[in-house]
Amino acid sequence: MSFLRSCGSWAVQRATVNKLPMNLRGERRLSLPTTDATELRVFRRMCIACGRNHNSMSVLPKRYFSSSQSHMISTRKPYLIVVKEKESPKEDGAMAQLKQVLDVRLEQLLEESLKHGEPGRFYRYPKPLRTVNRPSRQKGHQPHSKRKPGFLEPKNQTDNKSSSHASTQPKRKFKAKELSLKSVQSSNVAQMQKEDVASLPEGGMPKERIAPVKDRTLSSSEVGGMEINKSRLKSYRTRGETEHSRMILKSQKVDQSEKVDPDIKDDKLVIARTDPKTPEKPDKKHMYHIMRDKSIYLEPLIEVCMFKNMTKRALSEFNSLKSKMPIDVGIYNMMLKGLAQKGALGNIRTLFDSMAASGINPDAQSYAAVLQCIGRMKFRHLQTITKCLSDMALHDITIDDLFLKTTFSNDDRSVMLEVIQGVNPDYIPPRPLPRPHATCGLVQDLYQDEAELSDGQNDESAVGHGSLGCSGLLTKEEFQDKFKEQLDLEIKEAAVIKSIEEDGNPDKNTLQKREILQQHKKVWKMSLVQAIKEEREAFKRKGRGISGPDQRSYAGMLYPFLNILKPEEFADLMLQAVADTLACSTEGLGSYSLSHELGNRVHRKLIIRSKLQKGFAEKLEQMYDAFADYHLSEEMMQRYKPREYWQQLEDELLDGPSLNHETKPWKTLTNASLGIVLVKMIARELRLDTAIMNPQAERKLIPAFYNVYIFKGTKNVNYIKPHPTLVDLIEGAKEPDMTFDTTVLPMLVPPLPWNSCKYGGYLLTETRIARCPEGSQQDQELSDPSRLKDWYPVMDSLNQLSAVPWRVNKPILDVIISVFKNNGSKELNIPQPASVLPQPPSITSETSKADAAHVYRERSLYQKLRGEMHSLRMTDLYKLSIANKYRDEIFWFPYNLDFRGRVYPCPPHFNHLGNDVTRSILVFAKGRPLGDKGLDWLKIHLINLTGFLKKSSNQDRLKYAEEKMPLILDSADNPLEGQKWWQGADKQWQSLACCMEIANAMRSDNPAEFISYFPIHQDGSCNGLQHYAALGRDKIGAEQVNLHPFDVPQDVYIGVADLVEQQRAQDAEDGLEIAQLLEGKVERKVVKQTVMTIVYGVTVYGAKLQILKQLREKEGLDRFQKSLASKYLANAVFNSLLKMFTKTREIQSWLTDSAYYIAKAGHCVDWVTPLGFPVAQPYFKQRYGKYDDVGRSNVQIDTLKQKNGFAPNFIHSLDSTHMMLTSLYCQQAGITYVSVHDCFWTHASTVDEMNQICREQFVKLHGQPVLQNLSSFLDNKYGDITISKSVKKKPQNAEIQTIGDIVKQVPKPGEFDLTNVLQSTYFFS
């Protein structure tokens, strides 16, 4: 019974069987723990082949298939193998010989399967062993009349006469299982053939069926021209490691005499799934969600199919799903537009019949597709056109609607017009409807008709600043050349930038690692290209088959997505993603995050190529040529907003495609479904040679990336991590060229103005105006075209910021690069390479257990620091390399918003929101003369950057700058070798840049006429508390944050520290020990972070941790005392703030309570900013394994985050509104303006004007009933909702019954006069 060892993964050793007790019938019953009928069927076939089933063995149950012979019966009961022992259990020589024959026969079965099927696979319907070479059946013969075609089998396989081998192919296949084969030496086989075959029992296997099985690599004829590389199988043999058990298949032919790798000496050879054409089985949960809601995939599938000319597949999937899910007219229009391009009028008729049967009314876009289809047909039937127009009238659709309410691609508009004019020659299409104006009351004076503009806005005095637009920077020809260069970059979708570390003379070790890395990349690309081709073919075959719904839907739906790009482009995309996200650090990335990122990258490429296919590039070039005139004229920029001018161009240039054609984002699950296929290829195909770092080591191929599971809270999350050898290789190679997506780089021309929430920013690359979750409440509101006019002020503010040109401050950049190349500097905040870290101690045989534990902790800390230093170093390498690339260019930043309405540049690495280093590199591209006060503002700004005189007046700061002028000039002339005064500043690099600007101005012939490009910052004084004090009219709080005018700036941090010290002194006097220990230790920096974050909802516990961090540097307190002191001071800070900002605490409590009850009712907290921007907090709890109708994890409201986030997010939305108002009115005044949230930038000569606008807009904003408007909004939306009795209530809220009861309790304002802000010098300074 040794053959039991060869029964598959569930095989049991013979010894186990022999130990079973024998019953009265002479039987031993063995229960196998399996429910897989296929494995047992293969087992039984092998027993039948050896003639042992009828008298010594039976496998129960004997019937495995239903009457239709098409599907296996699923059973949950274990199978029984009954071994009948009619002889003595003791084995004799004949039994031993029989065991060897059975073992050889099992390997012979594998040989047969390899010859007639696919390598390493058995079949669901194995061929009878005695009829392998039976003749082909006659056409039409059906041995099983009820059997359905197989999963990979065409419906009429027997009709295929082109292949004589077709009839011998298996009808169905089962999923490959790992089979452990006993290694049989060829000498033993020969001995068996000579001596043992003759003694086979009657009914046994014929002699001619036995052939020697050599220990060799399978020949090309056996594996379809592919060699099985067994070196890849050496270390991966368990069922749990299926990711790495797949064999490498080499394309070259091999000689049959070639031997197995001599390193493989194991007695088992794992034959895993070797068919690369079979796609990886998706996760069961993921597959369930694919099948549960196919609508997630339908729209992207139609989009891809129409792009790749797969019209029949799109129709097939559409027809299969339209009766199973609700389909709106938008999806029908996607199909109609694609069919119209092909002139498929018959299919369009069918779709219209389907719409009528489903009760869906066609819209103008539907009928436009019909007329465009007719226009592309060779023969145009007048009757069909007339019928179409009459049907339109029945649905109240006019011909004008076809031009006013539809979007076009390529020449759709002209084709449709030609068809209509063929029926009505006198028809003239209408002009576009007038654009609506903004309705926000805060900015009504900015949105007047052109005829109402005052003459003063157009004269030279209004325009005279000369700081708007590109006039004087570029000529029209240069502008056109830069546009073409930017367009080419976006078409290529990537740019190669030279690393600043590359000096042209790399050392020998670096060159060696570069060569090794390039060799690996070359092999990786070849492997990925081959894998993509095979995966694509496998999905194609499985998508055609008739099988289980899970498999067919997964393969059929994803096959078109694998055709979006060429295999080589897919390989490049995956390798680039690996370089960007995985290989930079040993930390790795979550597999779902990586899958989503890969899917996003593929979708971005699809969008760009789809736009090119529709003729966007030609139309865009035509419009941008006219748009260049706008940017080259300062008068036009001040007269019109960029959005208004662009909309005028759209109304004038009507021919060609519609540029505002909406591209719907793919659902999260769609991106992840495509990405997971690519991620598995990366993990499977990318291999490393273990000997790359040590030539003396044994050469093995190991995975370059591996899967680990990390607990995140209560969840076990899968991470993809690079092998440390790969990270070391990349770090050591220091590749000279880095590839960046165009979405992370500045633009060479002004960005497209936002004129809808889906169109703006980059020329071709899709950009969204708000960074909110796809399909969320906020995203749906922003997609409502009827409310577009409400968001015009927000769009115009973004367009104003995007229109500001920038350039690189080359002297500062050169100094920073020199420090960076010289191993960085910790003192100057330039990251150092990880190589500067001292090596940790090693563990030797003499190390004690206690010392070993200490060494282990040190080595762990070393690895952590090394990863952090490398990450910081790479971050600065990116931004400095990009800055060096653009050092001679003029460039622009496109902007968009986060969900709160705060503004951010789209390029993430290099922008003015970066750290001190990045900000010092950037200056305005267009300069202005300093004028009378410009030099003074430069000096004041320098002292502000140093942080030396925070409590002094501007006059004192100016005087101090004059005193330090020699040191300022020395810093400018000798930044790294002089007295280094600038290195003591808070913001060192910005201070150095300011020193250089002052030196240049001072040494000019006339400083007032010196052209300055340097931005001057005016920063809000604890801006969050400023908004709270203004909302509550809190008099004491307003004075502390400089809303009230004073001769010197007030420091709220010092004010809080003074109150805390007063309370501490009183407690110490009363005998409190911890208060006595804190004498002399209550300082400004101890309380500063807590005061800053009190606006953002910090708790007492969070404040304790912040203060404890500051107390760690204090001496005289032990660890326990510091913990007690931090808790004491946290409470003291909260009490002090309550005294200073009484109304602030009331407003925070009201906001928090309102959010709590709204969230408890199952709703997100949302509101509308004073400028009309809708905000919704996207805080949810994910429920594992659940997905909603938009493909996101099915979620429930996160009450805690909704409650704690409302107050800070509401204040952030207000400071963003103030910034936008300031930007709009600065543009009207002709002032260059940019911002970093609550820090406003402008030229030195226009600081006073910007300051005045800033204060006026703050007073205008808070002059509105902001809290009352918020209360009305929340009451209208949630006021009638009854609060559940299970919801915990505060004692003061015990009587409330509905949400309306709490949201109406608006705190009463104080007595502060808000107009005092207009005279406050240090409100923003």
Side-chain angles (χ1 to χ4, degrees):
M1 297 196 282
S2 62
F3 55 82
L4 287 176
R5 289 178 297 179
S6 304
C7 294
S9 61
W10 41 261
V12 184
Q13 296 294 332
R14 170 195 173 196
T16 304
V17 178
N18 286 337
K19 291 179 182 179
L20 296 174
M22 185 181 297
N23 61 18
L24 295 176
R25 297 181 181 180
E27 301 173 343
R28 300 181 190 271
R29 287 181 173 263
L30 173 63
S31 177
L32 298 179
T34 181
T35 59
D36 195 326
T38 303
E39 292 185 359
L40 291 165
R41 191 172 188 276
V42 173
F43 180 88
R44 186 166 179 267
R45 284 282 184 181
M46 291 187 287
C47 298
I48 293 172
C50 299
R52 300 303 303 265
N53 187 61
H54 64 284
N55 61 1
S56 65
M57 173 174 288
S58 60
V59 181
L60 305 175
K62 295 182 179 180
R63 187 168 183 80
Y64 302 101
F65 299 95
S66 63
S67 59
S68 65
Q69 296 291 310
S70 61
H71 295 288
M72 300 181 201
I73 294 178
S74 175
T75 177
R76 295 295 179 185
K77 298 180 180 180
Y79 290 82
L80 293 177
I81 293 181
V82 181
V83 183
K84 299 180 180 180
E85 299 277 1
K86 294 188 177 180
E87 298 178 349
S88 171
K90 184 176 180 180
E91 297 181 358
D92 53 13
M95 180 64 69
Q97 293 173 359
L98 179 60
K99 289 187 296 183
Q100 291 186 359
V101 172
L102 290 172
D103 287 334
V104 173
R105 183 56 196 152
L106 180 61
E107 191 157 350
Q108 184 68 25
L109 287 173
L110 178 62
E111 293 282 343
E112 294 289 344
S113 70
L114 291 174
K115 286 182 180 180
H116 299 287
E118 299 177 9
R121 296 177 64 89
F122 286 108
Y123 305 116
R124 287 181 175 174
Y125 295 92
K127 299 178 288 296
L129 297 175
R130 303 180 187 280
T131 58
V132 171
N133 298 318
R134 65 182 182 273
S136 301
R137 301 183 186 275
Q138 295 180 359
K139 180 177 180 181
H141 180 67
Q142 298 287 341
H144 303 290
S145 59
K146 295 183 179 181
R147 193 181 74 78
K148 297 178 181 179
F151 179 51
L152 294 176
E153 172 184 19
K155 294 183 179 179
N156 297 316
Q157 185 173 350
T158 55
D159 294 343
N160 185 5
K161 297 182 180 181
S162 61
S163 174
S164 61
H165 186 61
S167 62
T168 65
Q169 289 296 321
K171 301 297 183 185
R172 291 175 63 87
K173 301 178 183 179
F174 72 90
K175 300 171 185 177
K177 305 293 180 182
E178 297 179 359
L179 301 179
S180 301
L181 305 181
K182 177 176 173 59
S183 178
V184 181
Q185 301 295 332
S186 58
S187 59
N188 293 339
V189 175
Q191 182 71 16
M192 176 200 68
Q193 286 182 302
K194 292 179 181 179
E195 301 177 6
D196 297 338
V197 174
S199 61
L200 282 173
E202 184 178 354
M205 185 169 54
K207 297 180 180 180
E208 64 272 17
R209 297 285 299 177
I210 302 177
V213 180
K214 298 181 180 180
D215 186 11
R216 59 176 174 81
T217 302
L218 299 175
S219 67
S220 59
S221 63
E222 294 167 333
V223 295
M226 299 288 186
E227 174 196 357
I228 301 178
N229 186 348
K230 298 182 181 179
S231 65
R232 284 279 296 275
L233 304 175
K234 193 172 180 183
S235 303
Y236 310 102
R237 290 185 167 82
T238 64
R239 291 176 67 87
E241 295 179 6
T242 55
E243 283 292 328
H244 305 299
S245 62
R246 183 173 180 264
M247 299 185 202
I248 292 180
L249 298 179
K250 299 181 180 178
S251 58
Q252 64 268 27
K253 300 282 185 177
V254 295
D255 187 73
Q256 291 192 10
S257 63
E258 185 178 352
K259 301 296 182 183
V260 178
D261 188 341
D263 290 338
I264 300 181
K265 300 176 182 178
D266 307 61
D267 62 347
K268 293 182 180 180
L269 175 64
V270 178
I271 303 297
R273 181 180 64 79
T274 63
D275 181 15
K277 301 177 180 127
T278 303
E280 295 281 354
K281 181 180 177 181
D283 180 74
K284 290 182 179 179
K285 290 189 175 74
H286 180 72
M287 175 66 70
Y288 167 72
H289 300 304
I290 291 175
M291 299 311 304
R292 191 184 74 168
D293 191 358
K294 299 177 184 177
S295 63
I296 296 174
Y297 295 83
L298 183 56
E299 288 187 60
L301 181 67
I302 295 173
E303 178 187 1
V304 173
C305 288
M306 295 307 176
F307 171 72
K308 295 300 295 184
N309 197 20
M310 298 180 178
T311 310
K312 291 183 178 179
R313 181 176 287 269
L315 279 170
S316 174
E317 295 293 346
F318 178 83
N319 291 329
S320 67
L321 294 176
K322 67 182 181 181
S323 61
K324 303 175 183 178
M325 53 174 284
I327 296 180
D328 59 17
V329 69
I331 299 179
Y332 274 99
N333 287 340
M334 291 179 66
M335 293 294 302
L336 292 170
K337 290 189 71 172
L339 295 171
Q341 296 292 327
K342 307 296 179 186
L345 187 59
N347 295 123
I348 288 179
R349 286 196 182 104
T350 303
L351 287 180
F352 265 79
D353 293 340
S354 176
M355 293 172 71
S358 302
I360 299 175
N361 293 323
D363 59 9
Q365 191 73 59
S366 309
Y367 288 107
V370 177
L371 296 176
Q372 292 159 14
C373 177
I374 295 173
R376 287 183 168 84
M377 296 176 64
K378 192 172 183 180
F379 301 102
R380 301 176 183 176
H381 299 282
L382 181 62
Q383 184 179 0
T384 305
I385 301 173
T386 306
K387 178 67 168 57
C388 176
L389 297 179
S390 62
D391 284 349
M392 287 169 49
L394 293 176
H395 289 91
D396 295 327
I397 300 174
T398 65
I399 298 179
D400 288 351
D401 292 339
L402 300 179
F403 294 91
L404 297 176
K405 299 180 180 180
T406 59
T407 58
F408 304 102
S409 301
N410 294 312
D411 58 346
D412 286 350
R413 189 177 188 277
S414 59
V415 168
M416 185 175 68
L417 180 60
E418 183 181 351
V419 171
I420 293 174
Q421 289 179 342
V423 179
N424 184 3
D426 298 330
Y427 179 77
I428 298 176
R431 300 294 302 172
L433 298 175
R435 307 275 183 168
H437 292 293
T439 57
C440 179
L442 281 173
V443 290
Q444 273 301 305
D445 56 326
L446 291 177
Y447 293 90
Q448 308 174 59
D449 292 333
E450 181 179 349
E452 298 176 358
L453 290 174
S454 64
D455 295 336
Q457 286 180 293
N458 297 325
D459 60 18
E460 292 298 325
S461 62
V463 180
H465 289 299
S467 57
L468 296 179
C470 308
S471 58
L473 298 178
L474 297 171
T475 64
K476 180 70 176 290
E477 292 74 18
E478 291 173 336
F479 205 100
Q480 293 171 338
D481 293 340
K482 291 297 180 183
F483 169 81
K484 293 178 181 178
E485 186 177 349
Q486 176 67 30
L487 190 65
D488 289 341
L489 279 176
E490 295 193 33
I491 291 174
K492 294 176 182 177
E493 303 158 22
V496 177
I497 293 179
K498 186 177 181 181
S499 171
I500 60 170
E501 287 188 315
E502 178 62 22
D503 56 3
N505 297 308
D507 55 33
K508 184 178 179 180
N509 184 47
T510 301
L511 286 174
Q512 182 182 7
K513 290 185 177 180
R514 284 182 184 177
E515 182 179 357
I516 293 171
L517 184 59
Q518 290 304 318
Q519 290 174 354
H520 275 78
K521 285 185 176 181
K522 184 176 180 181
V523 174
W524 289 347
K525 184 172 182 178
M526 293 173 61
S527 300
L528 290 174
V529 168
Q530 185 66 21
I532 285 289
K533 292 179 180 178
E534 294 165 350
E535 205 88 6
R536 185 186 287 177
E537 281 300 311
F539 274 116
K540 183 179 181 180
R541 294 200 314 272
K542 282 208 168 186
R544 290 174 178 170
I546 300 176
S547 182
D550 287 1
Q551 293 177 343
R552 187 176 187 276
S553 294
Y554 184 73
M557 286 189 171
L558 286 187
Y559 169 70
F561 293 88
L562 291 177
N563 286 271
I564 293 175
L565 306 176
K566 298 178 181 178
E568 294 79 9
E569 293 171 333
F570 265 119
D572 290 336
L573 180 143
M574 288 188 280
L575 291 177
Q576 184 59 38
V578 164
D580 292 344
T581 59
L582 283 180
C584 300
S585 166
T586 55
E587 295 298 320
L589 187 68
S591 58
Y592 184 83
S593 299
L594 180 60
S595 301
H596 190 263
E597 173 62 21
L598 286 169
N600 266 333
R601 293 190 180 208
V602 174
H603 189 211
R604 287 201 301 265
K605 291 180 180 292
L606 171 66
I607 290 173
I608 291 176
R609 298 182 185 197
S610 179
K611 287 182 177 180
L612 294 175
Q613 189 182 73
K614 295 174 181 177
F616 275 43
E618 294 78 6
K619 176 71 173 289
L620 188 62
E621 184 174 1
Q622 182 184 7
M623 288 190 61
Y624 212 92
D625 185 63
F627 195 54
D629 296 331
Y630 170 78
H631 278 280
L632 293 173
S633 170
E634 185 176 355
E635 181 181 355
M636 295 294 291
M637 288 199 69
Q638 195 168 358
R639 183 180 182 86
Y640 299 103
K641 296 173 178 59
R643 172 191 54 82
E644 295 171 340
Y645 195 83
W646 184 266
Q647 289 175 340
Q648 287 185 16
L649 293 177
E650 286 184 331
D651 294 344
E652 294 172 3
L653 304 174
L654 297 175
D655 292 334
S658 305
L659 295 182
N660 60 349
H661 189 280
E662 180 180 351
T663 302
K664 293 186 178 180
W666 286 355
K667 307 301 183 185
T668 302
L669 196 58
T670 308
N671 286 324
S673 300
L674 173 60
I676 199 170
V677 177
L678 305 180
V679 168
K680 289 187 176 182
M681 287 187 203
I682 290 173
R684 188 179 66 222
E685 301 295 338
L686 304 192
R687 299 275 162 167
L688 276 175
D689 186 351
T690 56
I692 57 178
M693 294 299 185
N694 184 10
Q696 271 53 357
E698 181 182 3
R699 301 184 67 87
K700 293 181 181 178
L701 288 177
I702 60 174
F705 301 92
Y706 56 95
N707 292 287
V708 297
Y709 287 86
I710 300 175
F711 277 100
K712 296 288 186 181
T714 60
K715 296 179 182 178
N716 204 8
V717 182
N718 179 229
Y719 265 67
I720 305 291
K721 288 197 172 186
H723 196 283
T725 303
L726 175 61
V727 177
D728 292 339
L729 178 63
I730 293 176
E731 287 183 14
K734 298 178 182 178
E735 290 192 277
D737 295 328
M738 298 182 294
T739 303
F740 292 91
D741 290 339
T742 52
T743 55
V744 303
L745 299 175
M747 296 182 65
L748 298 173
V749 291
L752 296 180
W754 290 102
N755 58 76
S756 74
C757 293
K758 303 291 184 181
Y759 184 67
Y762 291 96
L763 302 181
L764 294 176
T765 307
E766 195 77 6
T767 311
R768 302 173 65 195
I769 196 171
R771 305 177 185 184
C772 55
E774 299 167 7
S776 65
Q777 174 184 334
Q778 186 177 20
D779 185 51
Q780 294 174 14
E781 289 187 28
L782 290 171
S783 301
D784 184 0
S786 64
R787 298 182 56 191
L788 190 61
K789 63 181 181 301
D790 298 336
W791 307 318
Y792 277 166
V794 175
M795 295 179 188
D796 292 336
S797 177
L798 292 177
N799 295 336
Q800 181 275 321
L801 297 171
S802 300
V804 175
W806 298 85
R807 67 181 180 88
V808 169
N809 190 342
K810 290 188 281 188
I812 286 292
L813 177 63
D814 293 337
V815 176
I816 295 174
I817 289 178
S818 67
V819 175
F820 184 88
K821 287 184 175 181
N822 194 24
N823 285 336
S825 171
K826 186 177 181 180
E827 294 76 17
L828 298 179
N829 199 29
I830 303 296
Q832 297 177 289
S835 58
V836 303
L837 284 177
Q839 291 292 328
S842 301
I843 298 177
T844 64
S845 58
E846 300 177 356
T847 307
S848 64
K849 290 186 177 180
D851 293 339
H854 177 70
V855 171
Y856 177 77
R857 285 193 296 269
E858 286 194 8
R859 295 186 71 86
S860 298
L861 180 61
Y862 169 79
Q863 291 296 335
K864 180 181 178 181
L865 290 175
R866 181 181 175 85
E868 291 174 354
M869 292 181 67
H870 177 70
S871 178
L872 292 172
R873 179 84 173 173
M874 293 303 297
T875 299
D876 272 31
L877 176 64
Y878 289 162
K879 66 179 63 173
L880 293 177
S881 297
I882 294 172
N884 195 51
K885 167 73 174 180
Y886 286 82
R887 64 184 299 133
D888 297 318
E889 301 283 357
I890 298 171
F891 51 89
W892 288 259
F893 296 122
Y895 291 80
N896 63 0
L897 310 165
D898 70 358
F899 75 93
R900 302 165 298 185
R902 273 197 153 189
V903 177
Y904 293 87
C906 295
H909 301 302
F910 179 58
N911 61 65
H912 63 286
L913 264 69
N915 60 7
D916 176 46
V917 172
T918 313
R919 294 186 188 186
S920 67
I921 298 172
L922 288 166
V923 293
F924 295 133
K926 199 165 185 179
R928 292 202 53 201
L930 285 177
D932 296 334
K933 296 184 179 180
L935 184 57
D936 289 345
W937 274 115
L938 276 175
K939 296 174 184 178
I940 294 172
H941 178 55
L942 173 60
I943 305 307
N944 290 343
L945 292 170
T946 61
F948 292 156
L949 300 177
K950 294 181 179 178
K951 296 184 252 182
S952 302
S953 64
N954 284 343
Q955 290 73 19
D956 292 338
R957 298 178 193 184
L958 184 59
K959 183 178 178 181
Y960 181 79
E962 295 291 349
E963 294 173 358
K964 298 297 181 181
M965 190 56 64
L967 293 175
I968 293 173
L969 298 177
D970 175 74
S971 298
D973 297 337
N974 303 292
L976 300 178
E977 298 177 357
Q979 300 183 50
K980 304 177 184 178
W981 174 82
W982 63 277
Q983 295 187 16
D986 287 350
K987 300 174 181 178
Q988 298 167 318
W989 292 104
Q990 292 180 77
S991 298
L992 177 59
C994 195
C995 288
M996 292 182 176
E997 188 76 1
I998 291 173
N1000 292 334
M1002 294 285 290
R1003 291 165 179 167
S1004 65
D1005 295 336
N1006 185 357
E1009 297 179 359
F1010 175 76
I1011 304 299
S1012 175
Y1013 303 88
F1014 198 81
I1016 303 298
H1017 309 170
Q1018 295 290 279
D1019 201 351
S1021 178
C1022 202
N1023 190 241
L1025 285 175
Q1026 287 180 328
H1027 283 284
Y1028 268 124
L1031 287 172
R1033 303 297 195 270
D1034 197 333
K1035 186 174 182 180
I1036 299 176
E1039 291 175 352
Q1040 290 294 325
V1041 292
N1042 293 299
L1043 296 188
H1044 187 78
F1046 288 99
D1047 294 334
V1048 294
Q1050 301 299 299
D1051 193 329
V1052 64
Y1053 311 116
I1054 293 178
V1056 173
D1058 290 342
L1059 286 178
V1060 172
E1061 175 60 24
Q1062 292 175 17
Q1063 181 178 339
R1064 185 211 63 79
Q1066 182 62 44
D1067 291 339
E1069 192 175 317
D1070 294 340
L1072 185 61
E1073 183 180 357
I1074 192 63
Q1076 295 171 352
L1077 291 174
L1078 285 171
E1079 184 177 357
K1081 295 180 173 59
V1082 180
E1083 300 174 352
R1084 180 182 186 270
K1085 68 176 182 179
V1086 173
V1087 302
K1088 179 179 178 180
Q1089 187 177 9
T1090 303
V1091 176
M1092 289 176 62
T1093 54
I1094 195 70
V1095 185
Y1096 308 122
V1098 68
T1099 61
V1100 176
Y1101 178 75
K1104 173 189 170 182
L1105 296 179
Q1106 294 170 347
I1107 294 173
L1108 180 61
K1109 183 179 179 182
Q1110 299 296 330
L1111 290 179
R1112 284 174 182 166
E1113 303 175 1
K1114 301 293 182 182
E1115 298 180 357
L1117 296 175
D1118 59 28
R1119 185 175 180 181
F1120 178 71
Q1121 290 171 338
K1122 288 178 181 178
S1123 179
L1124 289 178
S1126 63
K1127 184 176 181 180
Y1128 170 80
L1129 290 177
N1131 286 300
V1133 169
F1134 271 71
N1135 292 334
S1136 301
L1137 286 169
L1138 187 59
K1139 294 178 183 178
M1140 297 175 62
F1141 297 92
T1142 306
K1143 296 300 179 181
T1144 296
R1145 298 299 296 172
E1146 291 179 8
I1147 294 172
Q1148 276 189 324
S1149 297
W1150 176 68
L1151 293 173
T1152 302
D1153 291 345
S1154 299
Y1156 173 75
Y1157 293 116
I1158 292 172
K1160 277 296 185 180
H1163 297 276
C1164 292
V1165 181
D1166 63 325
W1167 65 96
V1168 177
T1169 70
L1171 269 183
F1173 183 75
V1175 181
Q1177 295 188 146
Y1179 301 140
F1180 304 96
K1181 287 181 179 179
Q1182 293 188 355
R1183 290 188 291 180
Y1184 182 72
K1186 305 287 184 180
Y1187 290 84
D1188 63 8
D1189 57 349
V1190 296
R1192 294 181 291 109
S1193 294
N1194 195 10
V1195 292
Q1196 63 184 22
I1197 301 298
D1198 191 325
T1199 304
L1200 184 63
K1201 287 187 176 180
Q1202 291 283 346
K1203 180 190 74 169
N1204 293 337
F1206 185 28
N1209 289 335
F1210 180 70
I1211 295 300
H1212 279 314
S1213 68
L1214 288 182
D1215 74 45
S1216 175
T1217 300
H1218 177 222
M1219 185 279 297
M1220 292 180 181
L1221 288 170
T1222 306
S1223 77
L1224 292 172
Y1225 282 90
C1226 281
Q1227 181 186 23
Q1228 185 189 46
I1231 296 173
T1232 299
Y1233 169 88
V1234 293
S1235 74
V1236 181
H1237 303 317
D1238 59 350
C1239 181
F1240 299 168
W1241 297 15
T1242 190
H1243 286 98
S1245 60
T1246 56
V1247 172
D1248 291 324
E1249 294 175 74
M1250 184 193 72
N1251 277 336
Q1252 186 63 27
I1253 294 173
C1254 166
R1255 286 152 177 78
E1256 290 173 352
Q1257 298 312 310
F1258 186 86
V1259 172
K1260 180 192 287 188
L1261 169 62
H1262 286 285
Q1264 303 290 314
V1266 178
L1267 294 182
Q1268 288 73 16
N1269 291 342
L1270 175 64
S1271 174
S1272 299
F1273 177 85
L1274 297 178
D1275 185 42
N1276 292 335
K1277 191 163 187 178
Y1278 309 111
D1280 296 334
I1281 299 176
T1282 302
I1283 299 174
S1284 172
K1285 294 182 179 179
S1286 62
V1287 176
K1288 186 177 179 180
K1289 300 177 183 178
K1290 292 181 179 180
Q1292 61 269 29
N1293 297 332
E1295 302 299 325
I1296 64 173
Q1297 300 298 323
T1298 65
I1299 293 178
D1301 295 337
I1302 187 69
V1303 299
K1304 291 177 182 178
Q1305 298 178 8
V1306 182
K1308 295 181 180 179
E1311 300 175 353
F1312 176 70
D1313 184 2
L1314 195 60
T1315 58
N1316 288 333
V1317 174
L1318 299 174
Q1319 284 76 43
S1320 177
T1321 303
Y1322 303 104
F1323 165 65
F1324 266 64
S1325 64

